[in-house]
Amino acid sequence: MLRLLSLSFLLVLGCSKKRDDANLVLCTNSTYPPYESIDAQGNSVGFDIDVAGAIATQLGKKLVIKEMAFDSLILGLSQDKCDLAMAGLSITPSRQKEITLIPYQGEPSKSYYLLFWEQIPAGIQTAADIQNIGNKTVAVQVGTWMEDFVKTIPGIEIKALDATTELIMEIKHKKSAASFVEPHIGKDVVQKESRIKFIEVALAPEDWKLGNGIGIKKSNAKLAAKIELALSQLKKAGTLETLEKKWFSKK
């Protein structure tokens, strides 16, 4: 009898550890401004954070933010550590095989930026040309399509880092010849730092990226449908446009 009571207690205890249905849990990596970053008070802020907050409000839930490494976001979804993942996630065929990605922002990326500190080395027109100079290292953010793309280029070395700020420090201190970023990130950093020089390189059509998506576990179709509806309502109300102007129109 005692063993049965103990088992019942454990079952109840186990149930009590389930995630609170009143919360919408977001997995993110706040190292990718203006999508997400940490402010002076230690809070996660940015376009994605505001969009997730607006979605949570539409769903009548409270947004809870979980920080994790960028390359652990998909794993976080699969292990039910969160309901959705947002971190400027480009919609790519490889990611679509693992998770549902709901488009919410951004035109297809048809180019990439190579960032340099103070001057662009002679003869550099694309990332492939870096193999012809002394420092053959290119810094990229870990787990991104940029990392996968650079891996296809022979003759250059890759340094995969967690944050955009680290990519800037790499070129500032000459540890890497260049940093490889998406256009919207490149435009943001060159506006803020005049010593950064850049080259914009066109991607072949087959390498274009399809905007950014909200990651949902594939088996969680019910939540995906609710988020798609919430996004539709936010677009109709002009909320997404307002947030884009807030985070992407800063000079």
Side-chain angles (χ1 to χ4, degrees):
M1 182 69 173
L2 178 60
R3 296 180 70 178
L4 289 174
L5 287 172
S6 299
L7 178 60
S8 299
F9 175 76
L10 289 173
L11 288 172
V12 170
L13 182 63
C15 291
S16 68
K17 291 183 178 179
K18 287 185 178 179
R19 205 161 58 233
D20 190 342
D21 286 339
N23 296 332
L24 183 71
V25 183
L26 168 70
C27 281
T28 191
N29 176 253
S30 295
T31 61
Y32 202 48
Y35 287 94
E36 42 272 309
S37 60
I38 303 295
D39 67 11
Q41 289 71 47
N43 301 312
S44 295
V45 297
F47 176 71
D48 283 349
I49 306 303
D50 283 357
V51 172
I55 290 171
T57 299
Q58 287 290 119
L59 299 181
K61 294 177 180 287
K62 176 186 175 183
L63 182 67
V64 175
I65 299 170
K66 280 191 176 182
E67 288 287 335
M68 58 179 58
F70 184 85
D71 55 356
S72 297
L73 294 174
I74 292 176
L75 182 62
L77 286 174
S78 68
Q79 293 180 342
D80 293 318
K81 292 182 178 179
C82 49
D83 301 303
L84 68 163
M86 296 177 72
L89 285 171
S90 299
I91 300 172
T92 64
S94 61
R95 285 185 183 146
Q96 287 176 312
K97 290 177 183 177
E98 296 185 84
I99 58 174
T100 297
L101 281 162
I102 302 171
Y104 71 104
Q105 187 266 344
E107 297 297 320
S109 291
K110 299 181 180 180
S111 62
Y112 62 86
Y113 269 40
L114 285 176
L115 305 181
F116 303 87
W117 192 260
E118 293 185 333
Q119 64 179 11
I120 300 170
I124 302 295
Q125 294 183 321
T126 71
D129 295 327
I130 292 174
Q131 65 184 299
N132 300 319
I133 63 176
N135 185 348
K136 306 180 191 303
T137 304
V138 176
V140 297
Q141 187 170 18
V142 65
T144 62
W145 71 264
M146 290 87 77
E147 181 182 12
D148 293 336
F149 184 88
V150 173
K151 284 178 180 177
T152 68
I153 305 172
I156 63 175
E157 298 176 12
I158 303 168
K159 184 175 284 189
L161 301 166
D162 288 323
T164 303
T165 52
E166 293 179 86
L167 302 184
I168 303 309
M169 296 304 289
E170 275 292 304
I171 58 173
K172 181 178 181 179
H173 295 294
K174 311 298 182 186
K175 293 181 179 179
S176 294
S179 290
F180 186 113
V181 299
E182 291 182 282
H184 49 272
I185 299 299
K187 290 173 185 175
D188 183 66
V189 297
V190 299
Q191 284 178 353
K192 295 175 179 175
E193 176 53 78
S194 62
R195 289 172 291 181
I196 295 176
K197 309 303 177 185
F198 71 94
I199 298 173
E200 185 173 8
V201 184
L203 287 165
E206 60 269 23
D207 292 323
W208 289 355
K209 306 306 165 189
L210 307 176
N212 295 313
I214 298 171
I216 309 287
K217 188 176 180 180
K218 275 190 176 290
S219 61
N220 204 347
K222 187 178 291 187
L223 177 62
K226 289 180 179 179
I227 289 178
E228 285 183 328
L229 178 59
L231 280 172
S232 175
Q233 292 168 337
L234 291 171
K235 287 177 183 177
K236 198 171 187 179
T239 304
L240 291 186
E241 184 179 358
T242 299
L243 292 177
E244 283 198 326
K245 288 178 180 177
K246 173 184 175 182
W247 290 103
F248 294 98
S249 299
K250 295 179 179 180
K251 301 297 181 184

